[in-house]
Structures are given as C-alpha cells and as structure tokens.
Amino acid sequence: MSKILILAAALFVVAATPLTNPRPSFNNEALSAQYRLSDNTIPTFYDVRLFLDPNADSFRGSVTIRVMPYVETDEIVLHAMDMTLSNINVRSDLNADNLYLSHTLATDDTHFLRIRLSQTLTAFLPYLVDIDYTAPYGDNMFGIYVSTYETATGDRRLVTSQLQPTFARRAFPCYDEPKFKAIFRTTIYAPAEFTAVRSNTLVRDDAGTWPDVPGYIKHEFEDTLPMSTYLVAYLVSDFDFRDNTENPIYRIPFRVYARPGVLNTADFALDFGQRNMVALEEYMQFPYYFEKMDKVAVPDFAFGAMENWGLVKYREVALLVQDGVTTTSTKQNVGRLICHENLHQWFGNEVSPDSWTYTWLNEGFANLFESYATDFVLSEWRMMDQFVLNMQNVFQSDAVLSVNPMTHPVYTPSEIIGTFNAVAYQKLRNSRRHLGGSSVALTLVSAKDLSSLSLLRDRSALRVRVNTTGSVIRMLEHFLTPEIFRRGLVIYIRDNARGVVTPAQLYTALQQAVNEANYSLPTSIEQILTAWTTQGGFPVITVRRSAPTANSVFITQERYLTDPTQSAPDRWRIPVNWVLSTAVDFSDTSPQAWVPHTFPAVSVDIPRLNETEWFIFNKQQTGYYRVNYDEENWQALSRVLNSDQYDRIHVLNRAQLIDDAFNLARNGRLDYRIPMELARYLVRESDYVPWAAASAAFTYLETVLSGSPAYEWFQPCPVWSTNQRSPFAELASPCANKRAYLQAFTNYCRVVHQRYIQSSHQPSERGDDVCAHSCVRVYKTEFLLELSLPLFDELGFDETQNEEHVTAFHRNIILGINCRHGNENCTSVAQDLLQEPESIHADIQTTVYCSGLRGGDAGAFNTLWNMFVDTTDSSRQSILLNALGCTSNSDRLQLATSAPLTDTEKYTVEQHLLKKTFSSYMDQVISDTSSVREQDRHTILVSVINAGPDNLEVALDFIIDNFLEIQQSVQGLTGTTNILNALSRTLSTKEHEEKIDNFYERYQNYFTAGEIASVAAIRENIGASQFWADRNFNVVEDWLRANYGNHAGRVTATVAFVLPLILSLLNVV
Ligand SMILES: [Zn+2]
C-alpha cells in the first residue's frame, strides 16, 4: 500500500523519535510465541461466502478452510476478530464426523481463535473447518466496510475492503499472516441493485451470476493463485467502469471503476496503468498471472492505494485525473501510485514477505519503482531526478538515533500497522464488540495492547523507513550497475514466485547475478547490505585532501545525526565515486572505491588530484549518504557555482551541494556562511531540482528565524503577529531608531489590545533582540527575492506551451517566495486573479488562494469555502483545503481600508467575525456535521499549521484543547500523526516547548505509539531549533546584513506599501 501525498511537501513524514533509544532486539521469542501463529496447522484453501448488503449495518459469511496439520494436534489456532461465530464444524476428508469440541476467541489483540477438537488430528491428513459468522461492517476504513458518496437523489452506499495488514481476520476467520498463502474461492451474495460486484479474480464462466438466496444475486469468482490473506479484496457497488476492450494496450481485461458520473476522469489511469504494466512485465520478465486487473476509485479510503491482487483500490484523488482541474502535482501522484501498486503485483503479491518484519521487501521496492518505472513510460516527468529530492527529505527523518532499521521485528497488530505508518486503534478504544458467540465488552486497545504500547515506548517507537529503503535500493542499483541489478531482481521474482521470503532470498538472487557477470565487489551482497538493513540511519563521509598538493584524500565516516551532541558507533560499507574539475563526467555512477566499515578513516589515491581546483563525491547523489569536504574545497565549489560555469556540475549534484551544505551547517559541521554563499548561485539556476532542494533549506531557515524572541514578543499584539506584510516586522528603519520604534510598537499594542499586554514584556529589556530579529527578516526577504527574481520574471503566473512537466512545481516555489515575502508584483497579480477564482490555472490555485486569503477578509474565506462545499471533485477539494489554512487570523486588509483604529469597536467586530470564520474552519475537523471526509480532515489542521507562525499558534491551541475529539474524528491510521508531524516541522520556541510538555502530560494515557513517537519528535525538533538559534543566529544575521543590509531595492516598495498604515497607527498613539 502507499501513503498518499496530496501536497507532497506538506505531508512528508518527518522524524519521530521515542523517549529512549535502546537497540531493538532482533527476535523476541516471548512476543513471537504470544502473537505469531504456530506452524502446527497450515491452510491450503479457503472457500469464503459473503452476504454483503451495503444498506445493512452488518454482514454475514461462512468459510470453509482446508487445513493441513504438520504435527499431531488436538487444537486448531487461527485468527478472527470482531465477529460472532456459530456452527463450527471440523471434519476430515475421509468422513463427515464433526471433531469440534469447543472454541475460544481471544479478547485481546492476539485475535486468536482456538478450536479444540474431540480427537487428535493426524499429521499430513487434510481437514476441513467450517465456520458461520456475522460481523459489523468495519469502522476506521479497515476490514470490510461501507463507503458513501453523494448523488442528486441522495447518498449512495457501497461495500469495499482494506485487509492489509491485519484485517482479513475481521472479514473471515483465517490464518492472517502473510506467510500462510492459500488458494481463495470467493462467492459474494449482493442485492440486485449493486451491479459492480468484484473480487480478486474474474467471475467464473461456468457459474456466472444468478439469483440464489431471496433478495440477493450470487456472484461466484474463479479460484486465485496461492496468495496471502491481506491481498484479498471485495467490492459491492453501483460503480461504472471504463475498460480496454476497444484499445487493449495491455493483454488482459483492464478496468477502472468509479462512482457514476466521474468516469470521464478515468482515462489517464486506464492509459498509463496499462502502459506501465506492459513496461513492468517486460522488466520483470515474469508475467502477471491473474486474468484481469481492476483499479477502483473508492470515496473513503484509509491509504493512498492498496495493491490487492487483481482488484487494486485507490482513494479517488489518487486515481482520477480531470484535465484543467487536476493539478500537475496530483496527476504525477496518480501516476506514481498506479506504478507503485502495479509493482506490488510482483513485489508483495507474487513474492510476499515471510512476516511484517520484512515489510521493506514490499514497500522499499515499491517506493523506488513508483518513480523508477514511471520513468519507463513518462520519462519527461523526470521522476528519478525528483527521487533525489525525496531522498533528501528522508535524510531529515532518518537523522535521529531512534530510527528503526529496515528490518525491524514487529509482533502486535499496532506494531505491524506501525510499519506502514502509525497506529490505527484510537478510534476503537471505546467501542464495544460482540465476540465469540457471547457478548463480551471489549476495548480493542485492551490492557495488553496498552502494555505493548508502553513496551514500544521503552523499546523503540515505530517509524516508517519505507522511503529510506527506496533510497538504499537506488544505491544498490547504481553500485551493481542497472543491468546486474535488474538481472538479480528477475532471478528473485522467478525463484520465489508464489512463495514467501526474507532478505536472505533477495541477497541470494542478487549474488547470483553478480557472480554470473563476474562483477567485482569488496565482499558479498549480504555483507554489504546487512549493514544498511539492520542499522538505522545513514552515514556522512568527510573528504579532505591529504595535503594541498597530494594525490590522495582521507575519507572518514560516521553516522549522521541532526543533533550534533549525539553520536553512534554504526558504520557501513560505502560505495564512493568522484568527479574532478579537470575531468568533468558525472555519467558513470558505479563505485571507484569502497569506504570500509572497519576503519575510522581511509586514504584513497586519486591521480592528478593536485591539478584540480575542486572535486565532488557521490555522482548524481546515488549513494545514500551526505558528503562533507575541507573548507578549501567548499570554497572552490562555491566559486564555480557562482560563475557562468555552474552547469559543469551535474544538476543533481547542484541539488546535493545545496542540501548537504545547509544541513551540515545546521548540524554544526560547517560554517553557515558556506551554504549562504553557495545559495547565491541560485540567481543563475533555472532548473527545478536544485531550487526544490534550496526551498526546503529556506523553509527551515524561516522556521528557526521566526522562532526568535521577536516573534514571541510580537505575539501579544495580533495585528503584527502575522509573518508577512506585518508593518513592524518588515520595517527596516526601526533599527536606526530603536527606542522610538519600540515605544511606538508598545503604545500601539496598548491602544489596540490592552489586554494582550503582559507585564513581562518590557521592551527596554528585550529591545536588542526584537530589533535584531526584525532586521534579519528584512535581509532574509531581500536575499530570497533577489535570488528568485529572474525566475519570477521568467515563469510568471501563466503556463507556457511546451514547458517542462516540473515547471509547474518550480513556478509554485517561486511564486510562493515572492507572494509570501511581499513582492508587490506577485501579491497584486494574485489579488487580481482572485476576482475570478474559478478561472485560475489549477497548478497555481493553492498559491493564489493562499496569497488572497492572507490579505483577504471573511468574504474571501467564504467564497473559497463555498467552492469546497459545492465541488465533489476530490482533487479540487484537496487544493481548496490546503489553501483555506492560509486564512488570516487577523484581518489586515479590513484594517487598512476602513477608517480604522479610531473605531476600535468596528475593528474588534471585524476581528471577531474573521476569527469566528477561522475557528469554524478548524471546527470542521471535529464537528459531527463536518463537510469534510474523515480521510481529509487532518489536511485542515496541517494547512493551518503550515500557513505561517500566526496560524500555527491558533492551530496549536486548538489541537491541545481538542485532541481527544480530533483523535476520534480524523482518519485513524495517519490523521493525527500527520498533524503532529506538521507541528514538529514548525514549532520552535520555549513557549512551544512548554505547551507541548503540557500536551504530553494531559494526553499521555491516550496517545498511540505513533503519536508518542511524533510528540517525541516535536520535542527534539524544538530543542534543535533553540540550539540553532543560540549557535547560528548571529552568523546568519551578520552574513545577511553584510550582503543584503544595504539594499534599498524591492523590499522598500513593500515597506512603502505598508507605510501609510504604520503612520496611521502611529497617529493614533
Ligand atoms: Zn505499497
């Protein structure tokens, strides 16, 4: 399955750390015995019959399981959850005697169904287990559950399913671990009005569909191949479909299902999905063996998509593309997810992990190939170039001590779900279920689960390393060469099809390919990769010339951790290659040397190094590590970048240098002046990828600079507490007359909002800080505007014909910088465009709406909110939800245009109205009558958090006040962790720290493991921000002042824009 990235940058998963950090043990026998099924009996065949009426509250089913005892036993143990069982019957193939004696269904999170037998089963003699049951439809979008959508004649319901990772047990009693593969026969009984009834395979030719039980139509499906329970899927709906009958690009029936009326948005999925399957099949040299492929757009869906074999499901926004409405970013995401799920048909479905401890064998390959194999079909999207940005983002989350290795043992359901992202159970905590034929009051997160939660806290929190894994596998591809890598994967799939694997099988296949090619490696594949899969984190190598004229370098390695006070003993075998300024060729990415894991430092000979001006390690940033250099080399790199020769350096290495330099400086390994100097080259840079790398670095700078004392000091006064166009924050002159400025500032606050003034705010004591921080913002604004000016002029607001695919993303970065920092040419065009919001190009809608809402009033909010309510298009909803968070919490535009401030009452009324609007927006997260789907509600808070320091404060208070309600209201798997992760990227001050401490105290007994990890990450990041400020603020300020302090350029225009307002304020004083 895959996580969804609606606005990729907004939702990236961020570091989450536990409270302590011991190494995980690699096999916990007690937990294994407690949670894993034994191999005493194994299933070989399931016959599942389901009665699924979407208009009912529950469903009934019956299952016959053919089991094979491997030992003599008088007990059969399997999984069942959340169902009422009846008529259990156990018989041998030889006679019909019922061997059933009794059963128990666990009330804890083992979900074990133990069936005791009246006589001992004979080993290797097959038996049949029959069970009837009824069950409620699943909540939280797991198990078999109901989704709804609106039509002109009212709401329509459908039944769909999400069984990965541990919810097949909620659909039918089964051996619910991936290693227990079996053949599935499925029969669905559904009311006649639901015409689109699907499962993994085609409807059986000899059976077809026919009335059977009164009120139901019977749909019998072909038997599957041997497969894991988590890949079984169902759909009972009145959906329509598009298929490839007329234009079969792919060799088997390929359909896209969606609710009626939106099928005109299915063309891209149909076309790209087929082309991508053709390309993957060719790459794998192994056919997709099912006889059909359905792709279904489900209105309510927990994940981005799910790779059920033959019946792949997507959230609507992750499958449907409407030209002119869907953004380039969303369309790319659709392509990426389709490719991701297609890849799983081999990695996951044919070859499955032995247990969820090895989730990376599925998700790591899917994470890489979603880009790698999209490139096969749409190379103009530059997905593998963009993958480098993905990797740089992963570096952030992987740079904490507590991160789990790729191979990480998991046992409990909450641990298992954690390998996919977070823990999903909070909503169920208070629900009561009927189980085991008797009415048992049960909380799903039982005492046992809570104890496993605290166990988690002690051991190490669960983290996603899926993206990490993709980056490690990309490195593997380059150090093996693409040919050997592919050959290894072909062997791996061929030799393990229909089976289950551990990493050992992968290493064996890759080693075979290496041996066949006589390819030279320093040691075995297993030895190389084990360090990367069983240690968390990644290394930074430092490369220094041995001497100024030497032809060799010293390379040291250590684990890279964001917190410079931490260290770890981990070491890796690291493939390295390099480019010298005298021989610039970045094309060959195979290793020229290996840094061993055994020595702290290694010397590498590089002929003619003494003739070079500069050198770069890690061509095209294919290795999963950062690179630091001696200062002379950094200076030389800065010189070449800041010259007309800058494009002699490969575009991906330009992105690497920006990302590494800023992060190494942040980490205390490099003087901040180096990345700042380096970044000045961006004024020449026209490619998206280095700009995207820089954008991430700039965002961090803004966070830490806004976390300054100045911001806290401004905070009591709402008119100034906005992060841009805030008169005092952007006024350069106050530094010339500090005291007068502060006096004016204080007086203004007094007049407008007496009650916000607190006695602790003594300007005379904090004046220096306030002044310094307000100035640094001006300089920073100059810096960013100057760098982006050429591209602002070139890219503008309008798409041009034949522009590059990624230009849409690039334009948003440039417009974002300019509109946010008050470039009047940007803000005024945005305001003009807002006059006709419907006609704005989809790609810039979020930016323009955001800009408009920042300077707008309640009316602007209402216009966009009504657009959200009126549309049923999911990608449009996504754009609007992301923009609405930018709504200003204090209404400056009203303030500037009405005859203000002498009329405090009027002002207060307007403030009140807008605040009400704003908080009613956040209320949509928890309201019983919310207009926003559960799966999208967290986006509201994430967008408010990301909209700037002012909105962040309001969102933080809202989250602290309403956390339990938020837990109940947002999508269980990732909703709250997405919100908390957004906070961890943005909170930075001591006040934030206090609030988070209180937050933790208040809710610690209610947090899931994922939430605990996220809160720990928030604390760690706040600490890092303060550390940053203590250490780097003055360096950055000095550099900015020296380079931008005397500019009288475009910012002056901004200041002029607000000057009348300021004067009017001062007049009041
Ligand atoms: Zn996946």
Side-chain angles (χ1 to χ4, degrees), residues 1-3 164 305 307 340-341 344 362-363 366-367 370 420 466:
M1 71 185 115
S2 41
K3 289 176 287 115
Q164 192 188 38
E307 67 266 21
H340 179 115
E341 307 311 329
H344 273 313
N362 283 9
E363 299 302 333
N367 175 253
E370 68 186 23
F420 293 92
V466 168

PDB file of all heavy atoms in Angstrom, residues 1-3 164 305 307 340-341 344 362-363 366-367 370 420 466, ligand 1:
ATOM      1  N   MET A   1       0.852  -1.186   0.000  1.00  0.00           N
ATOM      2  CA  MET A   1       0.000   0.000   0.000  1.00  0.00           C
ATOM      3  C   MET A   1       0.879   1.223   0.000  1.00  0.00           C
ATOM      4  O   MET A   1       2.085   1.148   0.125  1.00  0.00           O
ATOM      5  CB  MET A   1      -0.930  -0.034   1.216  1.00  0.00           C
ATOM      6  CG  MET A   1      -0.251   0.209   2.539  1.00  0.00           C
ATOM      7  SD  MET A   1      -1.400   0.013   3.909  1.00  0.00           S
ATOM      8  CE  MET A   1      -0.721  -1.389   4.737  1.00  0.00           C
ATOM      9  N   SER A   2       0.281   2.335  -0.163  1.00  0.00           N
ATOM     10  CA  SER A   2       1.123   3.514  -0.169  1.00  0.00           C
ATOM     11  C   SER A   2       0.442   4.662   0.542  1.00  0.00           C
ATOM     12  O   SER A   2      -0.760   4.800   0.511  1.00  0.00           O
ATOM     13  CB  SER A   2       1.454   3.913  -1.596  1.00  0.00           C
ATOM     14  OG  SER A   2       0.339   3.776  -2.383  1.00  0.00           O
ATOM     15  N   LYS A   3       1.278   5.434   1.168  1.00  0.00           N
ATOM     16  CA  LYS A   3       0.785   6.647   1.788  1.00  0.00           C
ATOM     17  C   LYS A   3       0.466   7.626   0.686  1.00  0.00           C
ATOM     18  O   LYS A   3       1.039   7.613  -0.380  1.00  0.00           O
ATOM     19  CB  LYS A   3       1.868   7.255   2.692  1.00  0.00           C
ATOM     20  CG  LYS A   3       2.098   6.457   3.939  1.00  0.00           C
ATOM     21  CD  LYS A   3       3.238   7.052   4.724  1.00  0.00           C
ATOM     22  CE  LYS A   3       4.552   6.780   4.073  1.00  0.00           C
ATOM     23  NZ  LYS A   3       5.281   7.888   3.594  1.00  0.00           N
ATOM     24  N   GLN A 164      -5.168  -5.332   4.509  1.00  0.00           N
ATOM     25  CA  GLN A 164      -3.776  -5.193   4.955  1.00  0.00           C
ATOM     26  C   GLN A 164      -3.716  -4.215   6.119  1.00  0.00           C
ATOM     27  O   GLN A 164      -4.396  -3.187   6.052  1.00  0.00           O
ATOM     28  CB  GLN A 164      -2.896  -4.661   3.812  1.00  0.00           C
ATOM     29  CG  GLN A 164      -1.411  -4.768   4.124  1.00  0.00           C
ATOM     30  CD  GLN A 164      -0.525  -4.077   3.086  1.00  0.00           C
ATOM     31  OE1 GLN A 164      -0.881  -3.022   2.593  1.00  0.00           O
ATOM     32  NE2 GLN A 164       0.600  -4.661   2.775  1.00  0.00           N
ATOM     33  N   ALA A 305      -3.490   4.038  -1.624  1.00  0.00           N
ATOM     34  CA  ALA A 305      -3.945   2.969  -2.500  1.00  0.00           C
ATOM     35  C   ALA A 305      -3.545   1.637  -1.881  1.00  0.00           C
ATOM     36  O   ALA A 305      -2.742   1.597  -0.943  1.00  0.00           O
ATOM     37  CB  ALA A 305      -3.321   3.114  -3.884  1.00  0.00           C
ATOM     38  N   GLU A 307      -2.715  -2.591  -2.993  1.00  0.00           N
ATOM     39  CA  GLU A 307      -2.376  -3.401  -4.157  1.00  0.00           C
ATOM     40  C   GLU A 307      -3.093  -4.741  -4.244  1.00  0.00           C
ATOM     41  O   GLU A 307      -2.606  -5.641  -4.930  1.00  0.00           O
ATOM     42  CB  GLU A 307      -0.868  -3.666  -4.144  1.00  0.00           C
ATOM     43  CG  GLU A 307      -0.368  -4.568  -2.982  1.00  0.00           C
ATOM     44  CD  GLU A 307       0.107  -3.814  -1.762  1.00  0.00           C
ATOM     45  OE1 GLU A 307      -0.281  -2.638  -1.604  1.00  0.00           O
ATOM     46  OE2 GLU A 307       0.849  -4.398  -0.954  1.00  0.00           O
ATOM     47  N   HIS A 340       3.255   2.332  -8.304  1.00  0.00           N
ATOM     48  CA  HIS A 340       3.564   1.703  -7.011  1.00  0.00           C
ATOM     49  C   HIS A 340       2.743   0.411  -6.850  1.00  0.00           C
ATOM     50  O   HIS A 340       3.284  -0.648  -6.521  1.00  0.00           O
ATOM     51  CB  HIS A 340       3.235   2.707  -5.900  1.00  0.00           C
ATOM     52  CG  HIS A 340       3.471   2.247  -4.502  1.00  0.00           C
ATOM     53  ND1 HIS A 340       4.420   2.812  -3.682  1.00  0.00           N
ATOM     54  CD2 HIS A 340       2.873   1.289  -3.757  1.00  0.00           C
ATOM     55  CE1 HIS A 340       4.404   2.213  -2.501  1.00  0.00           C
ATOM     56  NE2 HIS A 340       3.455   1.282  -2.513  1.00  0.00           N
ATOM     57  N   GLU A 341       1.445   0.513  -7.094  1.00  0.00           N
ATOM     58  CA  GLU A 341       0.579  -0.656  -6.892  1.00  0.00           C
ATOM     59  C   GLU A 341       0.835  -1.714  -7.966  1.00  0.00           C
ATOM     60  O   GLU A 341       0.761  -2.913  -7.695  1.00  0.00           O
ATOM     61  CB  GLU A 341      -0.897  -0.244  -6.878  1.00  0.00           C
ATOM     62  CG  GLU A 341      -1.243   0.875  -5.891  1.00  0.00           C
ATOM     63  CD  GLU A 341      -0.704   0.665  -4.489  1.00  0.00           C
ATOM     64  OE1 GLU A 341      -0.576  -0.496  -4.064  1.00  0.00           O
ATOM     65  OE2 GLU A 341      -0.382   1.669  -3.818  1.00  0.00           O
ATOM     66  N   HIS A 344       3.733  -3.765  -6.925  1.00  0.00           N
ATOM     67  CA  HIS A 344       3.405  -4.728  -5.862  1.00  0.00           C
ATOM     68  C   HIS A 344       2.857  -6.039  -6.427  1.00  0.00           C
ATOM     69  O   HIS A 344       2.869  -7.059  -5.733  1.00  0.00           O
ATOM     70  CB  HIS A 344       2.349  -4.139  -4.934  1.00  0.00           C
ATOM     71  CG  HIS A 344       2.898  -3.313  -3.812  1.00  0.00           C
ATOM     72  ND1 HIS A 344       3.949  -3.723  -3.027  1.00  0.00           N
ATOM     73  CD2 HIS A 344       2.511  -2.110  -3.308  1.00  0.00           C
ATOM     74  CE1 HIS A 344       4.184  -2.796  -2.103  1.00  0.00           C
ATOM     75  NE2 HIS A 344       3.328  -1.812  -2.256  1.00  0.00           N
ATOM     76  N   ASN A 362       8.515  -5.432   0.429  1.00  0.00           N
ATOM     77  CA  ASN A 362       7.410  -4.937  -0.403  1.00  0.00           C
ATOM     78  C   ASN A 362       7.561  -3.447  -0.688  1.00  0.00           C
ATOM     79  O   ASN A 362       7.635  -2.997  -1.826  1.00  0.00           O
ATOM     80  CB  ASN A 362       6.057  -5.090   0.324  1.00  0.00           C
ATOM     81  CG  ASN A 362       5.542  -6.497   0.313  1.00  0.00           C
ATOM     82  OD1 ASN A 362       6.241  -7.409  -0.086  1.00  0.00           O
ATOM     83  ND2 ASN A 362       4.316  -6.669   0.774  1.00  0.00           N
ATOM     84  N   GLU A 363       7.543  -2.690   0.412  1.00  0.00           N
ATOM     85  CA  GLU A 363       7.356  -1.248   0.280  1.00  0.00           C
ATOM     86  C   GLU A 363       8.616  -0.533  -0.199  1.00  0.00           C
ATOM     87  O   GLU A 363       8.535   0.504  -0.842  1.00  0.00           O
ATOM     88  CB  GLU A 363       6.873  -0.661   1.607  1.00  0.00           C
ATOM     89  CG  GLU A 363       5.535  -1.225   2.075  1.00  0.00           C
ATOM     90  CD  GLU A 363       4.406  -1.018   1.072  1.00  0.00           C
ATOM     91  OE1 GLU A 363       4.475  -0.052   0.282  1.00  0.00           O
ATOM     92  OE2 GLU A 363       3.462  -1.830   1.074  1.00  0.00           O
ATOM     93  N   ALA A 366       8.599  -0.921  -3.904  1.00  0.00           N
ATOM     94  CA  ALA A 366       7.508  -0.100  -4.452  1.00  0.00           C
ATOM     95  C   ALA A 366       7.876   1.376  -4.376  1.00  0.00           C
ATOM     96  O   ALA A 366       7.602   2.151  -5.293  1.00  0.00           O
ATOM     97  CB  ALA A 366       6.213  -0.371  -3.697  1.00  0.00           C
ATOM     98  N   ASN A 367       8.527   1.763  -3.293  1.00  0.00           N
ATOM     99  CA  ASN A 367       8.922   3.164  -3.135  1.00  0.00           C
ATOM    100  C   ASN A 367       9.911   3.593  -4.211  1.00  0.00           C
ATOM    101  O   ASN A 367       9.839   4.701  -4.743  1.00  0.00           O
ATOM    102  CB  ASN A 367       9.521   3.378  -1.743  1.00  0.00           C
ATOM    103  CG  ASN A 367      10.059   4.785  -1.559  1.00  0.00           C
ATOM    104  OD1 ASN A 367      11.274   4.992  -1.538  1.00  0.00           O
ATOM    105  ND2 ASN A 367       9.174   5.752  -1.478  1.00  0.00           N
ATOM    106  N   GLU A 370       8.064   3.189  -7.927  1.00  0.00           N
ATOM    107  CA  GLU A 370       6.985   4.121  -8.270  1.00  0.00           C
ATOM    108  C   GLU A 370       7.558   5.290  -9.071  1.00  0.00           C
ATOM    109  O   GLU A 370       6.862   5.882  -9.889  1.00  0.00           O
ATOM    110  CB  GLU A 370       6.262   4.600  -7.012  1.00  0.00           C
ATOM    111  CG  GLU A 370       7.111   5.481  -6.117  1.00  0.00           C
ATOM    112  CD  GLU A 370       6.444   5.829  -4.797  1.00  0.00           C
ATOM    113  OE1 GLU A 370       5.545   5.093  -4.361  1.00  0.00           O
ATOM    114  OE2 GLU A 370       6.846   6.850  -4.213  1.00  0.00           O
ATOM    115  N   PHE A 420       3.605   0.450   8.524  1.00  0.00           N
ATOM    116  CA  PHE A 420       3.022   1.146   7.378  1.00  0.00           C
ATOM    117  C   PHE A 420       2.867   2.631   7.645  1.00  0.00           C
ATOM    118  O   PHE A 420       2.697   3.410   6.755  1.00  0.00           O
ATOM    119  CB  PHE A 420       1.674   0.532   7.006  1.00  0.00           C
ATOM    120  CG  PHE A 420       1.833  -0.850   6.476  1.00  0.00           C
ATOM    121  CD1 PHE A 420       1.758  -1.939   7.312  1.00  0.00           C
ATOM    122  CD2 PHE A 420       2.134  -1.043   5.139  1.00  0.00           C
ATOM    123  CE1 PHE A 420       1.944  -3.214   6.821  1.00  0.00           C
ATOM    124  CE2 PHE A 420       2.329  -2.312   4.647  1.00  0.00           C
ATOM    125  CZ  PHE A 420       2.224  -3.405   5.483  1.00  0.00           C
ATOM    126  N   VAL A 466      10.135   3.204   4.905  1.00  0.00           N
ATOM    127  CA  VAL A 466       9.854   2.811   3.532  1.00  0.00           C
ATOM    128  C   VAL A 466      10.660   3.657   2.549  1.00  0.00           C
ATOM    129  O   VAL A 466      11.307   3.142   1.647  1.00  0.00           O
ATOM    130  CB  VAL A 466       8.346   2.968   3.261  1.00  0.00           C
ATOM    131  CG1 VAL A 466       8.066   2.864   1.783  1.00  0.00           C
ATOM    132  CG2 VAL A 466       7.581   1.914   4.028  1.00  0.00           C
TER     133      VAL A 466
HETATM  134 ZN    ZN B   1       2.943  -0.133  -1.101  1.00  0.00          ZN
END
